[in-house]
Amino acid sequence: MCGITACAAPADENVVDTLLGGLRNLEYRGYDSSGVATPDSETVSVIKREGGIDELADTLDVVGPDGAVGIGHTRWSTHGAPTDANAHPHTDCDNRVAVVHNGIVENYTELRDELRARGHVFTSETDTEVIPHLVSEHLDDGMTVDGAFRAAIERLEGRFAIAMVVAGDDAIYAARNGSPLVVGVDDGRRFIASDVPSFLEHTDDVVYLEDGDVVRVTPDEHVITDLDGRPVERETKVVDWQPEDAERNGFDHYMLKEIHEQPAALERAINGRITAEGGIDLEEFPPGTFSDVTDVQLVACGTSYHAALYVRQQLAERGVPTQVFSGGEYATTPAPVTENTLVIAVTQSGETADTLASLRAADERGARTLAVTNVVGSSAARFCDDALFIRAGPEIGVAATKTFSSQVAVLTLLGERIAQDITGEPREDLAAMLRGLERLPSDVQHVLDQSSVESLATKYRERDGHFFIGRGVAYPVALEGALKFKEITYEHAEGFAAAELKHGPLALVTPDTPVFAVFSGPHDEKTLGNVEEVQSRGAPAVAIASEESTEVAEVVDEFLPIPDTHPVAAGVLANVQLQLVSYHVADLLGRAIDKPRNLAKSVTVE
């Protein structure tokens, strides 16, 4: 949540446009308000506005500051409403120090009261504003900028990423503790950002900072130290994302672009991981890696939680004791673990605060940990004992699409490796399942090419409610379909296990509540019975099922076909249809599809 961007360039450059571009690339992290700051010899010039980046850009066109060093921020509100006053950057009383911040200063009330008692005046409701005031006091006491920054950081409690500029200094100072921060390395320029897409158009050389790192950045170098000032070495890595990956490329929305990128993302996810002989080849995890595992716990949030439920179904069928926990709940009420428990964190960004807290809880109690994530240098990947990457490429739309498909594909392969190591046997239909996974890129493309969802969407917008049901792997797909629908349409939607309809939710079914039923193969006759139950109460039924499911097609009101395939792959294909349903309904309703209200892409606060 919230996006930080910063750039240090040669003295003859103006970085404001670069900062603005970096903010646009990070809008998925927050879009309540935004701002930039550039220092000169005596003060720091700050321009910030409530609303989206366009409001800031319009203001900069009129009163744009000029500077070779600067910081910027796009906000997702935690402390204080989205107003001009609460927008970042924040300054001290003399506009000498400017700070942007992601995270929460947990002891800000105490710090603010101390500072007010010493004469400091605050102009916002944010926790961030205490930071520049603390730095300013230390500067007044004769400290160097670096020393003042460190002294201020030592007073802060909580998780944070901070970037700072000071009048009369041509450097950027930044620190990380629990919230992501990366350095971009370019010839004659340096960048700091919450995430790589901020500066990907300029450089793909990246240094991932770790908790406790403090960095001083100038155009020609970055110097990383720990909180005590001792030098720290961090490797420069080359990310394999391309600048065009973070652009819309002719699509009306990032979400639609990323839905259509799923064939390529799935190709990357499974590439090299299925052998020509029909086996699984996870280079990081050869056969026997998990032979000592007795039970599996998956922790995740949101869409990643649904992907975790998907693989839990498969592991349970193989007799492997498996549980799925919400990251926020596991962190506060951890499940029993032993040294033979494998805790798998499923997280697109690798920075989800609740999931990271869960990992720390599991690690402290002796469990083995593994991250399934999209970001190589992420906190989860570096914290866990092992990591497996989904290779989906950058995802800009807040509503996850291609990352869910890639997570399911990779988790399916990982789950089978775990099950084989524990049971000593492959699943009976392994060859068929692997063929289904290998066909996913072409099958998803077929769904995208043939889908009739756009015309269907006009019938099912602005209803009293929208229900999604399924069994087996179709159940997490139903949950995910409902989540996508509510995220971007703002319409009421709920997902249920199909059998649970008659245990309460059926009371909500009316002729104005369409029911989307997901069929994945096993027990389809039972799900069809549930469809007939809702139809008998006047509700329209929409089925997503194999194109060969003629019995289903004849019963329902609307039929969205998917290629006939293995049940594990069928869930992914059905999910693509539901993604398109959500997208087209939201588009008809004129919603902010890529930036749904109150939501942000990477939830880095608990």
Side-chain angles (χ1 to χ4, degrees), residues 16 35-40 42-48 60 63-67 69-71 89 91 95-96 98 165 167:
V16 171
V36 298
T38 56
D40 60 28
E42 297 183 358
T43 63
V44 178
S45 176
V46 175
I47 306 295
K48 53 184 184 176
L60 290 172
V63 291
D66 188 358
V69 172
I71 56 177
T91 63
N95 287 333
R96 178 175 46 164
V165 290

Side-chain angles (χ1 to χ4, degrees), residues 459-503:
K459 301 179 183 179
Y460 298 114
R461 58 175 176 163
E462 296 181 304
R463 296 296 188 104
D464 287 346
H466 304 78
F467 298 148
F468 297 74
I469 63 172
R471 272 184 170 78
V473 297
Y475 169 50
V477 172
L479 295 177
E480 176 63 11
L483 177 62
K484 284 293 155 288
F485 200 91
K486 69 181 73 173
E487 278 182 322
I488 65 169
T489 71
Y490 311 156
E491 299 288 300
H492 179 71
E494 295 293 338
F496 304 103
E500 284 296 308
L501 268 180
K502 49 187 171 290
H503 294 281

